[in-house]
Amino acid sequence: MAEFQNIQIHGFEDFKKQLAELPGRAGRNVLRGAVNAGATVIRKEAVLRAPQYTGPVAEGHPPPGTLKKSIYQKQITELSSAVQQTFFVGVRQGKRQQAVKRGKNVINLDAFYGRFVEFGTSKMPAKPFLRPAFEAKKEAAIEAMRAYMAERIPKEVTKAGGT
């Protein structure tokens, strides 16, 4: 089961006013870029924290590092608007079309097992990496969003012909 973390950030009132003054799509683009910057911080930390198998790899199993390579971030357009942007950081699964042929063996690069690692199973203890990455870097992600907006809003205002 996927577990979502919803963050409500307060203290961005000045940025919110400035975004509202930007013409057309500029405000939405700035907000999307800012949330993307925050999601990037979380994704990079999750990649660092994801465990990597170091033992011998059985035939047909994904190579070591597949879990780390499968962590991604994506904008969820259905949940995003001009005043709210939603990004997802998770483990890509079901990507069976991407396989590596090594001799006669085809190795699947699907990291379907990411949820088992994160939450554990009845036979395997959890080794969480996504949730701790979020908890460890949520303040840094907010700061990355703040820095992005502080840099980008004046550029957009200048582009729009403001002061």
Side-chain angles (χ1 to χ4, degrees):
M1 246 337 133
E3 182 178 307
F4 293 95
Q5 293 287 335
N6 186 8
I7 304 176
Q8 297 288 331
I9 303 172
H10 303 286
F12 277 75
E13 286 75 22
D14 292 339
F15 288 127
K16 192 174 181 181
K17 289 176 192 172
Q18 291 173 339
L19 283 173
E21 293 173 7
L22 292 176
R25 296 182 176 173
R28 181 176 54 204
N29 292 343
V30 169
L31 185 58
R32 182 175 57 234
V35 177
N36 184 47
T40 300
V41 171
I42 306 274
R43 180 184 51 81
K44 286 180 178 179
E45 182 67 15
V47 168
L48 290 174
R49 289 175 178 259
Q52 183 169 330
Y53 184 69
T54 56
V57 179
E59 188 175 322
H61 287 266
T66 300
L67 182 60
K68 288 180 180 280
K69 291 176 192 170
S70 297
I71 297 173
Y72 73 103
Q73 69 191 54
K74 180 181 188 234
Q75 180 196 27
I76 309 300
T77 54
E78 298 83 18
L79 300 176
S80 299
S81 67
V83 295
Q84 173 181 315
Q85 290 293 316
T86 303
F87 275 73
F88 179 78
V89 176
V91 177
R92 183 168 281 120
Q93 47 192 345
K95 199 165 184 182
R96 299 197 182 279
Q97 65 273 18
Q98 224 181 31
V100 177
K101 291 184 181 181
R102 293 190 179 151
K104 293 181 180 179
N105 298 333
V106 176
I107 297 172
N108 187 358
L109 293 179
D110 180 16
F112 67 91
Y113 55 88
R115 65 182 169 266
F116 305 142
V117 175
E118 178 75 14
F119 299 108
T121 67
S122 62
K123 298 179 181 180
M124 180 182 92
K127 295 179 186 169
F129 58 98
L130 285 171
R131 292 172 291 163
F134 171 76
E135 290 300 325
K137 291 295 184 173
K138 63 185 172 186
E139 295 300 323
I142 291 170
E143 191 52 43
M145 292 168 55
R146 222 181 273 276
Y148 182 91
M149 291 174 81
E151 178 186 330
R152 182 87 188 271
I153 288 175
K155 288 180 183 177
E156 291 297 327
V157 169
T158 303
K159 229 192 278 186
T163 55

